[in-house]
């Protein structure tokens, strides 16, 4: 049973550029959430996608956008990169129809470095 | 304003003893709590969870206790093993409030000494 997968593993960009990160959820899951983890901090919620729509959003600017495809996979796009966007980006999947128990399973992350 | 707090950045415990990791929260809307374990260069791994309708949940060596009146939860690991050395994150969810994103603490680095 495949777990959550993310690509690429590492990425180096320069300020002002745009980046796209990809995520495939765990088999059977229909909901994808994205998190940003800065060094020494816990993951911070960016947004969540379900049925190809953004359902919830954390405190992140509009430069952060996403998409969910019919096969439940998802992309995270970040425009006009800033040095402060350097972080580990984590994707998590869950099964919304499982009800109140919102257990999310994480992928290995994409390490983004902005120079 | 940090809604989930893990006040101990690190904790050192001898192998075989009990490890107790603590977490406090401030948001009364949180009704589901989770613990994750993270090794370097890997994503967080789900360990155990507890709903606000319970005060204790056990899974093998791991037990989570929830004290709603104190807005406090703890993770007990008995007995501690070398492979338990990792960063542990406490997370909370307010499903009932419609906020599905998890709110994490900053983590506690657990070191198991042989």
């Amino acid at each position: 049973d495949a777990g959550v997968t993310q690509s690429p593993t590492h990425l180096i960009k320069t300020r002002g550029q745009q980046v796209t990160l990809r995520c495939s959820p765990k088999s059977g899951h229909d909901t994808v959430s994205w998190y940003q983890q800065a060094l020494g901090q816990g993951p911070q919620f960016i947004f969540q996608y379900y049925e190809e729509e953004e359902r919830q959003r954390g405190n992140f600017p509009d430069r952060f956008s996403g998409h969910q495809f019919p096969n439940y996979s998802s992309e995270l796009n970040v425009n006009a990169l800033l040095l402060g966007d350097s972080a580990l980006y984590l994707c998590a999947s869950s099964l919304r129809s499982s009800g109140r128990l919102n257990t999310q399973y994480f992928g290995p992350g994409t390490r983004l470095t902005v120079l | 304003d940090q809604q989930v707090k893990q006040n101990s950045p690190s904790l050192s415990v001898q192998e075989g003893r009990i490890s107790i990791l603590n977490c406090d929260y401030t948001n009364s809307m949180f009704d589901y709590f989770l613990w994750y374990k993270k090794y370097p260069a890997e994503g967080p791994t789900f360990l155990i969870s507890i709903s606000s309708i319970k005060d204790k949940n056990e899974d093998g060596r791991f037990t989570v206790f929830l004290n709603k009146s104190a807005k406090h939860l703890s993770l007990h690991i008995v007995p501690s093993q070398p492979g338990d050395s990792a960063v542990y994150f406490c997370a909370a969810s307010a499903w009932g409030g419609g906020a599905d994103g998890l709110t994490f603490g900053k983590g506690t680095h657990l070191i198991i000494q042989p």
Side-chain angles (χ1 to χ4, degrees):
Chain A
D1 179 22
V4 180
T5 59
Q6 292 186 243
S7 63
T9 306
H10 296 89
L11 208 48
I12 298 175
K13 292 284 187 179
T14 55
R15 279 179 296 175
Q17 284 191 311
Q18 179 262 343
V19 69
T20 297
L21 310 181
R22 294 177 177 83
C23 170
S24 290
K26 184 177 165 69
S27 178
H29 283 184
D30 56 11
T31 302
V32 172
S33 303
W34 287 92
Y35 293 81
Q36 180 195 67
Q37 186 180 14
L39 210 57
Q41 303 293 317
Q44 276 203 296
F45 175 65
I46 302 175
F47 43 53
Q48 183 179 88
Y49 276 83
Y50 171 68
E51 290 186 336
E52 302 179 48
E53 287 188 18
E54 183 182 298
R55 299 292 176 164
Q56 296 291 337
R57 190 178 184 94
N59 190 23
F60 279 81
D62 292 345
R63 298 186 298 109
F64 289 77
S65 63
H67 190 77
Q68 186 180 34
F69 299 94
N71 67 352
Y72 308 118
S73 67
S74 177
E75 286 181 350
L76 164 66
N77 301 293
V78 187
N79 294 322
L81 284 167
L82 304 173
L83 295 179
D85 295 332
S86 294
L88 180 68
Y89 287 84
L90 294 162
C91 169
S93 74
S94 54
L95 181 60
R96 195 174 187 94
S97 58
S98 62
R100 292 178 60 87
L101 301 183
N102 186 19
T103 302
Q104 299 183 14
Y105 295 86
F106 284 82
T110 294
R111 172 71 62 188
L112 172 65
T113 303
V114 182
L115 302 176
Chain B
D1 178 32
Q2 225 184 328
Q3 298 186 65
V4 176
K5 298 179 185 178
Q6 294 177 255
N7 292 319
S8 300
S10 67
L11 176 67
S12 185
V13 174
Q14 264 197 315
E15 182 179 356
R17 303 273 189 159
I18 182 172
S19 295
I20 301 176
L21 296 96
N22 294 303
C23 177
D24 297 296
Y25 62 97
T26 57
N27 189 341
S28 301
M29 295 297 291
F30 289 148
D31 62 359
Y32 187 57
F33 304 89
L34 310 92
W35 284 94
Y36 287 86
K37 170 181 177 179
K38 188 177 186 301
Y39 294 118
E42 293 184 12
T45 301
F46 170 70
L47 271 178
I48 191 168
S49 61
I50 187 166
S51 165
S52 60
I53 62 173
K54 295 186 175 181
D55 53 20
K56 177 183 172 181
N57 189 26
E58 256 181 288
D59 184 0
R61 295 187 297 116
F62 303 92
T63 303
V64 57
F65 296 91
L66 176 62
N67 182 335
K68 288 185 291 293
S69 60
K71 292 192 176 69
H72 176 84
L73 62 155
S74 61
L75 174 68
H76 293 211
I77 306 173
V78 183
S80 299
Q81 298 174 354
D84 296 331
S85 294
V87 177
Y88 288 77
F89 290 100
C90 170
S93 171
W95 177 283
D100 297 342
L102 296 176
T103 302
F104 282 81
K106 290 188 176 183
T108 296
H109 186 193
L110 176 64
I111 302 161
I112 305 301
Q113 305 278 7

